[in-house]
C-alpha cells in the first residue's frame, strides 16, 4: 500500500501570525487559489473553530473535524475527538479517493499537535508584520528542506507581498 503523506497548508506573517478573531487577517486572492489547487481531491483535517469559520463544506475534499466536544456534529464531515483518530479517518478517506496526501488546514492547536508528524508544509509567507491572536509555531530549519519558493507582489487583489514555499521534512 502506498504511503499517504501528511501535509499542512498555512499562511503565516513574518511575525508568525495566522489569525485574528478566528479569521484570516489579510486578503490574498492568490493564496485562496493556491489553497484550492493544493487541497483539491485530498482529505482536509481541521479543528472545530476552523471548520466553523468556513463558508461551508469545501467542494471536492473530504472533511475531518477534530473537537473535544463529543456532541458536536458537522453535516458532510467526519467528526473525531483526537488527532490520532483524524489521521486514521484521513488515511481511510485518502485511500477511498485514491489520494496520496491528507492536508491539515488549521487551526493553531491542530498545527501544533501535528507538527512532529508532518511530511510536508505548504507555506504562504505573508511579507508583513500583522497584528493577531493566533500563531504558527516556528519551524526548525534543521528539519526542513525548501523545495520551491515563488514570490508575488501585492496587487489590488492581494494586500501584501507574499511567497509560496514548499517545505519537506529532511529524511534521516
Amino acid at each position: 500500500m502506498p504511503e499517504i503523506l501528511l501535509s499542512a497548508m498555512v499562511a503565516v506573517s513574518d511575525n508568525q501570525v495566522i489569525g485574528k478573531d478566528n479569521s484570516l487577517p489579510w486578503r490574498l486572492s492568490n493564496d485562496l487559489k493556491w489553497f484550492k489547487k493544493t487541497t483539491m481531491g485530498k482529505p482536509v483535517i481541521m479543528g472545530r473553530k476552523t471548520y466553523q469559520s468556513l463558508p461551508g463544506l469545501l467542494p471536492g475534499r473530504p472533511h475531518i473535524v477534530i473537537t473535544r466536544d463529543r456532541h458536536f456534529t458537522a453535516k458532510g464531515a467526519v467528526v473525531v475527538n483526537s488527532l490520532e483518530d483524524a489521521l486514521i479517518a484521513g488515511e481511510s478517506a485518502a485511500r477511498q479517493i485514491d489520494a496520496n496526501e491528507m492536508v491539515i488546514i488549521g487551526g493553531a492547536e491542530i498545527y501544533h499537535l501535528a507538527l512532529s508528524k508532518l511530511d510536508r508544509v505548504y507555506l504562504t509567507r505573508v511579507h508583513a508584520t500583522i497584528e493577531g491572536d493566533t500563531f504558527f509555531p516556528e519551524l526548525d530549519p534543521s528539519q526542513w528542506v525548501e523545495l520551491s519558493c515563488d514570490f508575488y507582489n501585492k496587487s489590488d487583489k492581494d494586500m501584501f507581498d507574499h511567497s509560496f514555499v514548499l517545505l519537506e521534512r529532511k529524511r534521516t
Side-chain angles (χ1 to χ4, degrees):
M1 237 183 252
E3 180 186 6
I4 306 294
L5 296 177
L6 179 61
S7 300
M9 184 147 206
V10 61
V12 183
S13 71
D14 287 339
N15 57 326
Q16 297 303 112
V17 167
I18 61 172
K20 183 176 181 181
D21 300 326
N22 204 34
S23 65
L24 294 174
W26 47 69
R27 185 178 48 76
L28 293 173
S29 175
N30 208 11
D31 181 53
L32 296 176
K33 290 175 192 161
W34 192 48
F35 176 88
K36 182 178 181 180
K37 177 183 172 198
T38 303
T39 62
M40 186 58 70
K42 300 171 186 172
V44 289
I45 298 170
M46 70 205 83
R48 177 190 51 80
K49 288 189 253 180
T50 297
Y51 171 78
Q52 290 175 323
S53 74
L54 297 175
L57 290 176
L58 303 172
R61 291 154 274 200
H63 290 55
I64 297 133
V65 180
I66 304 170
T67 179
R68 289 185 207 88
D69 181 349
R70 299 210 177 264
H71 302 290
F72 182 78
T73 59
K75 188 173 180 173
V78 174
V79 177
V80 296
N81 301 116
S82 70
L83 176 63
E84 292 72 26
D85 288 345
L87 297 179
I88 292 167
E91 191 166 317
S92 174
R95 293 196 191 290
Q96 287 176 15
I97 60 174
D98 202 26
N100 65 351
E101 184 175 30
M102 51 188 162
V103 185
I104 293 175
I105 63 169
E109 188 174 344
I110 306 305
Y111 289 132
H112 182 76
L113 288 171
L115 192 59
S116 67
K117 299 174 180 357
L118 294 175
D119 300 299
R120 183 178 290 160
V121 176
Y122 298 94
L123 176 73
T124 299
R125 175 59 73 186
V126 180
H127 299 294
T129 299
I130 306 288
E131 185 180 319
D133 55 22
T134 312
F135 300 86
F136 189 74
E138 289 278 352
L139 296 175
D140 179 351
S142 71
Q143 294 189 14
W144 297 92
V145 60
E146 184 178 298
L147 299 181
S148 64
C149 180
D150 299 308
F151 178 85
Y152 297 87
N153 288 308
K154 70 179 180 177
S155 68
D156 59 337
K157 293 184 179 181
D158 296 304
M159 294 172 71
F160 302 104
D161 291 347
H162 55 285
S163 298
F164 296 151
V165 183
L166 176 56
L167 301 167
E168 199 164 90
R169 186 174 297 279
K170 291 180 180 176
R171 305 287 177 203
T172 54

